[in-house]
Amino acid sequence: MPSYTPPVKDMQFILHNVLNITGQETPGYSDLEADFTSAILEEAGKLTSEVLAPLNVVGDTEGCKLENGVVRTPSGFKAAFDQVREGGWPGLDMPEQYGGQDMPYVIGTAVGEMFSSANMAFTMYQGLTHGAASAILAHGTDAQKDMYLPKMVSCVWTGTMNLTEPHCGTDLGLMRTRAEPQEDGSYKLTGQKIFISAGEHDMADNIIHLVLAKISGAPEGIKGVSLFIVPKFIVKEDGALGERNPVAVGKIEEKMGIHGNSTCVMNYDGATGYLLGEEHKGMRAMFTMMNEARLGVGMQGLSQAEVAYQNALDYARDRLQGRDVTGAKNPEGPADPLIVHPDIRRSLMDQKSFAEAGRAFILWGSTLIDAAHRGQDKDADGLVSLLTPVIKGFLTDQGYDMTIKAQQVYGGHGYIEEWGMSQFTRDARIAMIYEGANGVQALDLVGRKLAQDGGKHVMAFFDLVKGFIKENAGQDADFDREFLDPLKAASKDLQAAGMYFMQNGMKNPNNALSGSYDFMHMFGHVCLGLMWAMMGKAARDALADGAADKEFYETKLATGRYYMARQLPGTALHLARIQSGADTVMALDAANF
Amino acid sequence: MPSYTPPVKDMQFILHNVLNITGQETPGYSDLEADFTSAILEEAGKLTSEVLAPLNVVGDTEGCKLENGVVRTPSGFKAAFDQVREGGWPGLDMPEQYGGQDMPYVIGTAVGEMFSSANMAFTMYQGLTHGAASAILAHGTDAQKDMYLPKMVSCVWTGTMNLTEPHCGTDLGLMRTRAEPQEDGSYKLTGQKIFISAGEHDMADNIIHLVLAKISGAPEGIKGVSLFIVPKFIVKEDGALGERNPVAVGKIEEKMGIHGNSTCVMNYDGATGYLLGEEHKGMRAMFTMMNEARLGVGMQGLSQAEVAYQNALDYARDRLQGRDVTGAKNPEGPADPLIVHPDIRRSLMDQKSFAEAGRAFILWGSTLIDAAHRGQDKDADGLVSLLTPVIKGFLTDQGYDMTIKAQQVYGGHGYIEEWGMSQFTRDARIAMIYEGANGVQALDLVGRKLAQDGGKHVMAFFDLVKGFIKENAGQDADFDREFLDPLKAASKDLQAAGMYFMQNGMKNPNNALSGSYDFMHMFGHVCLGLMWAMMGKAARDALADGAADKEFYETKLATGRYYMARQLPGTALHLARIQSGADTVMALDAANF
């Protein structure tokens, strides 16, 4: 059975040495001393590694079962969920007013990575609840907040998000679910929603569904969509649970992975709903949550890469097979461990250098969300809005690839379910699809975010990279050559791609859209290159300060050098593809494929 | 449910327009006129699309069940296997002497791709039998051949290959299964083998296991391994089945995919075995089959990419979602089909351009095997031996990636098992692992094959590429620019990588081995680039000759242009990684990862 070791030390390095969070101006940050964050991370680490991780394979094997309209979660989930509630984890970054602990989002993200690495399917029950609660927090009336949030922040009730229908996923303008206004101001919702994560289960007293639907007579398309609160049990004024709303699970989907989470077809049959936010502005209400939700999915990609890497590393150290070509490393044993072989190391270094920089990228993005929300920093808001599709698309694509590499280290055993490596890949696979498929992320990035506010945010990003290089160049020739020069080259490639879009996208938007996916990936590489440069600098500083754990910082530098030498040059290939334009992509008639 | 359409026309194009098989000097090729191969392919296409493809999801869903020592295959498998036998398909390329049809291997490969696309798990029962029969054909005594081959060629009996043990996969020198010589010249085998595909099932009267084991007192390590025939039921001199041999299935593994094939733990408990080939030369006997077996696995990777692509294409044409940014293509409908979107096209073109060139690569490799075996052509033997790890490693890695891309086209539906796209990825995943994990293929390529016979075969490959370019350059400026120039550049990258290995691998073999995986992939791209150049030329020739189906050949050229512009430049990235050397790969102590 696979195991999970929370990367507390690595998180502390990023939070304190690299991002220097205690020194940030964002409200609520000044308390985040290393001792304090360490205590939180250690505690979360214990819960996730001891309670949640052992249930991961159980969830995969047993799955969720629909019996007479009731969904049974896998053995042990309910008890574990109680423990999570008791620890107050679901409300970590929620307002105290509603029972939360009011911690910054960045701390929620760090803890969330642990939860997700340990048991992604399990963690989704609270993740969806967090998303639904955030939407109510941002758009609900005071009465709605008072009625739903205390129970949702504590996960006594859970939440869901209902967007997709059988014939519409990305294109929500095609939506058919209807909402009929009632005399008392409520609505009756009728329609079918699919792919509803945590749609029904046996771990909470009530489930608060957030449902997109069209009010009768609403404008056509996406502009006629509204958002509704549809509780499984109607909540009475005194907070007690009333009658059962006619919303029922139609079936549980048989999926490739995340079997521990119940993915439901939900049928609304005249169910009572309450408008959340304004009429016809449902998409806007949804989209205010989008940056967080998408960052959370990017984090899922990273989380599976991390735990898969940990297990691949253990296996590579233990499994004896073949000999080091440069001389036996385990001469007393029948063979050397796998980790002596250069190609196994290549794979492990790919995984390690991705996971560590990916973590830094997400934590950095989380500090931007905090700055935007808590500090009202418009620039931070614009920057994280630009980076969100990169975090989601790049980290889930790469995260998935890393789980495949980790599985490959196991050879044939990787293909056998009992070793658990297959589950990491199957679970990670969904993160490339939901919350906007990665092709849609690329479209969002190139078609919308690049030009947002006159291109101000992408310019700010380039300035940030340039500023970092300028500030740190010329002090250490090795650091310049190993870290700053590759970052500069990659950033130049990215700028050249942006330039290509500007010059050729006007003539024909397909010239930009044909390169959108490559652009998202090259942007991701530049971001991870920037993270490695920042981590490299922090490690050098720590070593110069005579830090105790020399090996930790030297390993950081070595891992960064690997990424810079082996991964970052990938930007040139993406640029070449982008500059080849749309002609070869669009050449064929649909009939001739 | 997914469907499968055999690519008969495309195969005919490759066999006749590109490889010109009827014009080859290889014995048995002159009969292969287009009408004749067309009849075979059409017939195989009917069987695979109508009988085998509908059983693919059944096999995945039901899996194989072990009940009281008996393995039950999924519903419908037995009846379908009877139909396959009746059609004589298993013996297509086997000698007439033993009931086969004596067709070239290349025809077997083309038919095999269809079988594998339609139902990979099912096809493995006959695939393993083919491999075992080939080993007996190459190394058996006349008595052994007469006893086993007629029944195996017809698949009345099936076969298996038993190599792996729990503690040894790649490193077979660690093997523990023992063979005790008996007075009658037979042996008693004792030990446990794992991952035995088709190890036990209910579709054949007898199963002929080929088992690697060490004869007591044999030399240590890999040089003490011998190969044995161990029938499930002992075969009497008159061919009748005798007593049950003490070889039993211990359990069926729960795997990520290929559920329709029974992957067994096999326990040999003093089972009677007969030496196949010479004592202690078991690895050599196995390795004579290796090129074919590995090419067959490469073909599996391609086969899943092909069928997944076909379904993704259908979905992209049918599913209405969003609008073409350059203007509605389906203005009467609620939305345009997915295929209008540039990023969907990028994905489909990646898949299409891979599948068509991958097919050409495998069929070309198969003609080399035919030339080597039937024509005793030593150069062909050397060349295919060099290309085999590329065919296996590159086509299974890329084939798998393509199934992931195909699945992605489906959005959320791709993750739901009933749509069948998950199965293609899960089935394809094993091909990167078995028959030598792809890292081992890369090691074989760089550590052994490059330098084989003084580097003669890799030089022959480069000469072949150069020869093709020289012969075809200067006739059409577009063709030169679109096809020949990119091929030349990629081939130059590959040569530069080889040069780097020569210059730096001497000093430190890790400089070569750290780049082996990248080298395998860049070699694969050059091969597919060569295939596209050859196909482009054949398409141009057909158009110049006024071929009837103009669109078919123009589509070929357009697809080739895509590959040349978007995929082939990948060689530069691989070269950059290779030239970064071993330092960053090998920097960390095992303890510091």
Side-chain angles (χ1 to χ4, degrees), chain A residues 69 74 80 117 147 160 317 336 344 388 404 409 411 416 424 486-487 491 517 527 541 560:
Chain A
S117 279
M147 180 171 278
T160 71
R317 281 174 173 150
D336 287 342
I344 295 286
T388 294
I404 291 291
V409 170
I416 308 298
F424 296 136
L487 176 60
S491 173
Y517 213 85
C527 290
D541 289 351

Side-chain angles (χ1 to χ4, degrees), chain A residues 364 379 382-387 390 445-446 448-466 491 494-499 501-502 519 523 526-527:
Chain A
W364 175 46
D379 291 338
L383 185 55
V384 77
S385 172
L386 170 74
L387 296 176
V390 182
L445 176 65
V446 170
R448 225 166 64 90
K449 299 294 175 63
L450 272 190
Q452 211 164 35
D453 298 326
K456 180 178 159 192
H457 308 299
V458 72
M459 293 314 299
F461 175 80
F462 285 125
D463 285 347
L464 199 150
V465 174
K466 269 183 227 156
S491 173
L494 187 64
Q495 279 178 285
M499 194 59 74
F501 290 159
M502 281 210 285
F519 189 78
F523 207 147
V526 173
C527 290

Side-chain angles (χ1 to χ4, degrees), chain A residues 169 400 407 415 426 429, chain B residues 169 321 400 407 415 426 429:
Chain A
Y400 176 74
Q407 182 188 28
Y415 200 65
R426 290 184 291 97
R429 182 68 183 89
Chain B
Q321 208 81 178
Y400 177 73
Q407 183 188 25
Y415 200 64
R426 289 185 291 99
R429 183 68 184 89

Side-chain angles (χ1 to χ4, degrees), chain B residues 358-419:
Chain B
R359 174 174 303 123
F361 187 24
I362 285 190
L363 292 175
W364 175 46
S366 299
T367 63
L368 293 174
I369 287 182
D370 277 326
H373 292 185
R374 297 178 162 238
Q376 312 294 325
D377 180 339
K378 289 233 179 270
D379 291 338
D381 192 47
L383 185 55
V384 77
S385 173
L386 170 74
L387 297 177
T388 293
V390 182
I391 291 174
K392 198 280 184 183
F394 179 72
L395 292 186
T396 59
D397 275 0
Q398 291 267 312
Y400 177 73
D401 282 352
M402 297 304 154
T403 64
I404 291 292
K405 288 185 180 182
Q407 183 188 25
Q408 189 75 11
V409 171
Y410 278 68
H413 299 282
Y415 200 64
I416 308 298
E417 290 292 353
E418 71 177 283
W419 289 82

Side-chain angles (χ1 to χ4, degrees), chain B residues 10 24-25 62 69 103 146 158 167 231 237 265 303 357 389 396 404 431 433-434 445-446 459-460 479 493 525 546 581:
Chain B
D10 201 57
Q24 300 294 304
E25 283 172 20
E62 293 187 14
M103 304 273 295
D146 291 340
T158 62
H167 60 287
E237 299 236 335
V265 173
S303 75
T396 59
I404 291 292
I433 299 173
Y434 62 18
L445 175 65
V446 170
M459 294 314 300
F479 188 71
D493 285 344
H525 278 301

Side-chain angles (χ1 to χ4, degrees), chain B residues 100-170:
Chain B
Q101 299 190 47
D102 218 14
M103 304 273 295
Y105 182 68
V106 69
I107 302 299
T109 300
V111 168
E113 184 201 313
M114 293 183 189
F115 271 72
S116 188
S117 279
N119 198 324
M120 179 169 151
F122 175 91
T123 302
M124 289 171 66
Y125 292 96
Q126 75 198 70
L128 270 299
T129 309
H130 191 283
S134 297
I136 294 174
L137 191 62
H139 300 282
T141 62
D142 287 343
Q144 285 173 334
K145 291 185 202 173
D146 291 340
M147 179 170 278
Y148 298 106
L149 287 183
K151 300 278 190 177
M152 292 177 79
V153 164
S154 61
C155 266
V156 170
W157 300 346
T158 62
T160 72
M161 309 290 254
N162 291 239
L163 288 78
T164 307
E165 299 182 7
H167 60 287
C168 76
T170 299

Side-chain angles (χ1 to χ4, degrees), chain B residues 504-528:
Chain B
N504 299 278
M506 296 292 186
K507 282 186 287 193
N508 179 356
N510 288 341
N511 279 324
L513 299 182
S514 296
S516 59
Y517 213 85
D518 280 287
F519 189 78
M520 178 174 77
H521 272 258
M522 78 192 296
F523 208 147
H525 278 301
V526 173
C527 289
L528 264 51

